[in-house]
Amino acid sequence: MKASTLVFDSETASRPNIPLSAQEERILALYPDATPLDWEDWRWQIRNRIRTLDAIKKIIKLTSTEERGVIGAGDKLTMSIPPYFAALIDPHDPGCPIRLQSVPQDYEFETAPEEMRDPCGEDKDSVVHGLVHRYPDRVLFLVNEMCAMYCRYCTRSRMVGDGNHTLNTSTYDVALNYIREHQEVRDVLISGGDPLTLGDRTLEYIISSVKAIPHVEFVRIGTRIPVTLPQRITSELLAMFKKYSPIWMSIHFNHASEVTPRVKHACNMIADSGIPMGSQTVLLRGVNDSPEVMKKLFHELLKIRVRPYYIYQCDPITGSRHFRTTVETGINIMQNLRGHTTGYAVPTYVIDGPGGGGKIPIAPEYIVSRTGGRYVLKNYAGELYTYVDPTY
Ligand SMILES: *Cc1c(COP(=O)(O)O)cnc(C)c1O
Ligand code: SF4
């Protein structure tokens, strides 16, 4: 090891002293020049993502379904897994939830009649490139196409990928002008791709420009980085965010096994810097489609100050049939959460109306009957209670 590699730069100096797991050590050893300090460096993690058949084969023994998936995904939604996230894969279990989310399978190349390229109808509601204005008072601002890890069920697979660079400073300026001209916009949700794959300076340009618009009350950042690449959450990044408070963060979490010591540390840093966090979870077959698995995830999230926000029914994106559950599965999960555990652990279950309907809440039926102002209600345990409206 060269002496210079031992110098802590300011980013790694803010890292916790979390020892590498046996699997992390094993994967790090596949990179002959790499050191444990590199493992803590998010740029090293990005540069060294697992993207080829040869690379993934050194980490897990692929099933034939996966092997065909990895080969075929090459020119579509490419495989891309940070070494950190790859170390969470159970190499012996093809049903491992981390593996199902990150390693392509050839089912992705099948299509079902209900599937679409743009299931949420975002292109239709784009007012300028990269800006979706669907709801009255808030906009979705897409700032890049790159993610650390490409989720195999991604609802934006039509646009995400390292090779796509249609979103950049020139589209930002057009989007910013639109927001400036629309006084009704009080909330700007910055997403992508994953905005946190951008460098601090570009992010600061985006956030400071949005916050400089007088009618914008706050920004939110939609990201999966704290889960797939927690090393990206540096004290420099958070010091920058703090200048633009209030900032909220929505983090895409799907399974309790994603809540590792590094993720806990990252979320604690985020919470300590005054950023409230909510989670967004995609209901996925084989990954989190039971009340027990969801409850465990939400309990883990509350412990790291992340409030469960949404469970999304998996969008009918092309090639997603193997991931999608019935709506009944989602309703059953909700029924087994409400009342059975901490109310803060109960998110809202939504279906994004295919074609551009936006988020539509789906809930178990608690009103058994209504006669005028007389409601017969069912509580969480299935017992009936009657509520009578006041008369005036
Ligand atoms: C999800 C979404 C939002 C934000 O919705 P909230 O319910 O406020 O979190 C805004 N715009 C679009 C297009 C969205 O899909
Ligand atoms: S992080 Fe979000 S945008 Fe990126 S691949 Fe996953 S679901 Fe898609």
Side-chain angles (χ1 to χ4, degrees), residues 129-322:
H129 187 49
L131 196 70
V132 186
H133 191 180
R134 166 169 304 147
Y135 298 107
D137 66 344
R138 54 209 190 280
V139 290
L140 172 63
F141 185 6
L142 305 176
V143 298
N144 66 347
E145 290 98 342
M146 182 177 167
C147 301
M149 188 276 276
Y150 294 110
C151 310
R152 305 320 305 169
Y153 48 83
C154 176
T155 194
R156 292 198 191 117
S157 59
R158 70 185 184 286
M159 58 167 280
V160 302
D162 284 17
N164 303 341
H165 296 287
T166 73
L167 300 166
N168 50 51
T169 41
S170 63
T171 61
Y172 303 164
D173 290 341
V174 179
L176 289 164
N177 267 331
Y178 178 93
I179 300 170
R180 257 178 231 119
E181 286 164 6
H182 287 79
Q183 298 227 356
E184 68 275 23
V185 177
R186 42 166 286 287
D187 164 11
V188 176
L189 168 49
I190 297 170
S191 184
D194 196 317
L196 296 192
T197 59
L198 296 170
D200 292 6
R201 258 192 299 174
T202 308
L203 275 171
E204 180 157 14
Y205 173 75
I206 296 167
I207 296 170
S208 64
S209 306
V210 172
K211 286 295 295 264
I213 300 172
H215 51 270
V216 174
E217 295 171 1
F218 74 109
V219 301
R220 312 188 241 177
I221 296 171
T223 177
R224 184 146 218 228
I225 283 276
V227 178
T228 53
L229 187 56
Q231 289 90 336
R232 174 68 184 99
I233 307 303
T234 61
S235 43
E236 284 76 8
L237 177 71
L238 295 172
M240 185 272 280
F241 284 166
K242 215 164 182 170
K243 291 197 268 174
Y244 303 99
S245 178
I247 292 181
W248 287 61
M249 201 182 274
S250 295
I251 308 177
H252 177 168
F253 270 103
N254 287 340
H255 194 276
S257 63
E258 295 167 349
V259 186
T260 65
R262 276 187 176 72
V263 169
K264 289 178 184 169
H265 179 77
C267 288
N268 276 328
M269 284 171 69
I270 296 169
D272 286 348
S273 64
I275 299 176
M277 291 172 284
S279 67
Q280 317 204 77
T281 298
V282 183
L283 175 56
L284 296 168
R285 200 161 145 231
V287 173
N288 56 18
D289 55 346
S290 77
E292 297 70 35
V293 170
M294 283 290 193
K295 199 194 279 183
K296 177 98 191 337
L297 168 63
F298 299 147
H299 288 174
E300 287 302 314
L301 293 182
L302 289 185
K303 290 197 282 187
I304 56 171
R305 290 179 279 175
V306 177
R307 161 73 152 109
Y309 181 41
Y310 281 132
I311 294 178
Y312 293 101
Q313 178 69 5
C314 184
D315 292 321
I317 182 78
T318 308
S320 64
R321 194 167 65 108
H322 60 300

